């Protein structure tokens, strides 16, 4: 799995919408709130959507090298097999687990992660189920140096806890694409991340999941850092077309898209229509992730 995440061409599918974002993901898929009653039914429907994506013929490790799972998805089955097992053994896709419990209210221009008192137990359970790594998200709304420093500090404190459990953390301090000071926030963020990376013990590895930057190749120093396995980009609310176009200007950065991956999928599609649509989107995201990554290697 480490070899695949380090060097294989492709991108990471984010299938980890949680309680707050699940209704929106289902609405985009063509399932309204009136179509289900309560959380259990809602989660059953979103799991069915995710299973349909994972079972699509194009959803294989040839182009989709990893998938980020919501905890309930990790605990679920696809065709009678545990999801992490199905992904790795049947699809060649490396499984990750979303571990954060949501965000605190905004303070100093950022939203820190809520406390995770049961994290060690979750990490052990994930490792036993075949999970390779984790993902945790904070949000940056404004270029507040103190706020951004607090986000990065919290992210790396938790990352060290994850590394200690034998897993690879994806550090995700998302800069909102709606931020009026996005460019300035990215400059502060890059410096804060670089400083934390330099403090990691030799051999400790992380991945970074970042908003596509305003300035092309802005995160190149992080891409080449010896403690970074991969830098991946979130779509952040951009359409698939816009996200792919912006990503294509950032060498060495691959996609980790959620909304942009499922944007064209509808519950009403026949299997043939669904599979053709997801295949087209996978090809589109793969091309944006790989073509310029190959060009960088050639350079």
């Amino acid at each position: 799995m480490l070899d695949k995440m380090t060097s294989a061409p492709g991108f990471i599918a984010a299938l980890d919408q949680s309680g707050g974002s699940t209704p929106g993901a289902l609405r985009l898929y063509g399932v309204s709130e009136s179509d289900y009653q309560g959380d259990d039914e809602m989660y059953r429907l979103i799991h069915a959507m995710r299973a349909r994506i994972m079972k699509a013929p194009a959803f294989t490790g040839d182009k989709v090298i990893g998938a980020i799972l919501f905890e309930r998805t990790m605990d679920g089955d696809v065709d009678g097999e545990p999801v992490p097992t199905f992904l790795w053994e049947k699809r060649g896709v490396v499984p990750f687990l979303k571990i954060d419990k949501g965000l605190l209210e905004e303070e100093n221009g950022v939203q820190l992660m809520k406390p995770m008192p049961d994290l060690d137990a979750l990490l052990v359970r994930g490792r036993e189920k075949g999970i390779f790594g984790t993902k945790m998200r904070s949000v940056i709304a404004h270029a507040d140096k103190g706020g951004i420093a607090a986000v990065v500090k919290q992210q790396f404190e938790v990352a060290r806890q994850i590394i200690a459990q034998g897993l690879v953390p994806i550090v995700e301090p998302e800069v909102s694409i709606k931020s009026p000071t996005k460019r300035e926030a990215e400059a502060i963020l890059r410096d804060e991340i670089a400083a934390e990376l330099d403090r990691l013990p030799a051999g400790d590895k992380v991945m970074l999941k970042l908003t596509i930057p305003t300035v092309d190749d802005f995160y190149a120093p992080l891409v080449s850092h010896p403690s970074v396995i991969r830098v991946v980009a979130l779509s952040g609310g951009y359409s698939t077309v816009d996200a792919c176009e912006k990503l294509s200007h950032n060498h060495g950065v691959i996609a980790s898209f959620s909304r942009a991956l499922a944007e064209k999928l509808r519950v009403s599609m026949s299997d043939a229509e669904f599979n053709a649509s997801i295949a087209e989107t996978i090809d589109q995201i793969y091309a944006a992730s790989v073509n310029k990554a190959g060009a960088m290697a050639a350079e």
Side-chain angles (χ1 to χ4, degrees):
M1 290 184 184
L2 179 61
D3 287 345
K4 184 148 206 165
M5 292 316 306
T6 301
S7 58
F11 68 94
I12 297 174
L15 306 176
D16 61 331
Q17 302 92 343
S18 54
S21 56
T22 301
L26 283 172
R27 273 196 304 274
L28 187 65
Y29 188 47
V31 179
S32 70
E33 281 92 334
S34 62
D35 293 327
Y36 54 87
Q37 298 291 322
D39 284 355
D40 286 346
E41 182 69 2
M42 177 182 75
Y43 286 125
R44 186 188 68 77
L45 289 167
I46 196 75
H47 183 75
M49 182 189 87
R50 290 167 177 154
R52 199 178 185 192
I53 291 171
M54 288 185 274
K55 289 167 64 176
F59 195 91
T60 73
D62 292 339
K63 293 180 179 177
V64 184
I65 59 173
I68 304 170
L69 308 175
F70 179 48
E71 186 178 345
R72 281 177 177 251
T73 310
M74 175 187 75
D75 291 335
D77 292 342
V78 175
D79 289 346
E81 288 205 60
V83 169
T85 304
F86 175 85
L87 283 172
W88 181 240
E89 295 186 1
K90 294 295 197 299
R91 293 299 199 213
V93 175
V94 176
F96 290 82
L97 174 65
K98 169 189 158 66
I99 59 164
D100 67 81
K101 302 301 180 185
L103 302 169
L104 297 173
E105 293 298 316
E106 184 177 318
E107 187 175 346
N108 297 324
V110 303
Q111 288 179 273
L112 294 169
M113 297 181 289
K114 290 180 178 178
M116 294 175 268
D118 301 321
L119 178 58
D120 277 327
L122 177 60
L123 295 174
V124 170
R125 193 157 62 84
R127 193 178 64 231
E128 290 172 348
K129 285 177 174 282
I131 292 292
F132 169 76
T134 65
K135 190 211 82 160
M136 51 194 172
R137 172 176 171 263
S138 314
V139 173
I140 297 165
H142 299 284
D144 184 294
K145 192 174 191 314
I148 294 172
V151 160
V152 176
K153 180 182 178 183
Q154 183 192 40
Q155 284 275 344
F156 275 84
E157 283 175 350
V158 180
R160 285 187 280 272
Q161 187 177 352
I162 294 159
I163 292 168
Q165 290 290 354
L167 300 173
V168 173
I170 299 178
V171 169
E172 184 185 8
E174 174 182 350
V175 178
S176 171
I177 64 170
K178 298 177 182 177
S179 172
T181 52
K182 179 175 179 285
R183 181 172 181 159
E184 295 84 354
E186 288 163 350
I188 298 168
L189 178 63
R190 186 180 69 177
D191 290 346
E192 292 292 336
I193 291 175
E196 285 286 355
L197 289 171
D198 289 343
R199 293 187 193 106
L200 286 176
D204 282 5
K205 301 285 187 179
V206 302
M207 295 172 62
L208 303 174
K209 182 167 178 174
L210 305 171
T211 307
I212 303 169
T214 303
V215 177
D216 295 345
D217 282 332
F218 188 70
Y219 292 126
L222 305 182
V223 172
S224 61
H225 195 284
S227 294
V228 176
I229 293 173
R230 280 279 171 103
V231 177
V232 304
L234 55 99
S235 49
Y238 291 125
S239 69
T240 309
V241 170
D242 286 347
C244 287
E245 196 280 328
K246 292 176 185 297
L247 176 63
S248 69
H249 297 287
N250 288 273
H251 296 79
V253 181
I254 66 171
S256 177
F257 292 171
S258 172
R259 180 171 177 167
L261 175 68
E263 182 181 63
K264 298 176 183 176
L265 304 178
R266 299 295 180 268
V267 67
S268 58
M269 287 176 163
S270 67
D271 285 346
E273 291 170 332
F274 184 95
N275 291 340
S277 179
I278 190 73
E280 181 182 3
T281 300
I282 285 171
D283 285 347
Q284 188 176 7
I285 298 172
Y286 177 84
S289 294
V290 169
N291 286 353
K292 42 80 177 145
M296 189 181 75
E299 289 166 12

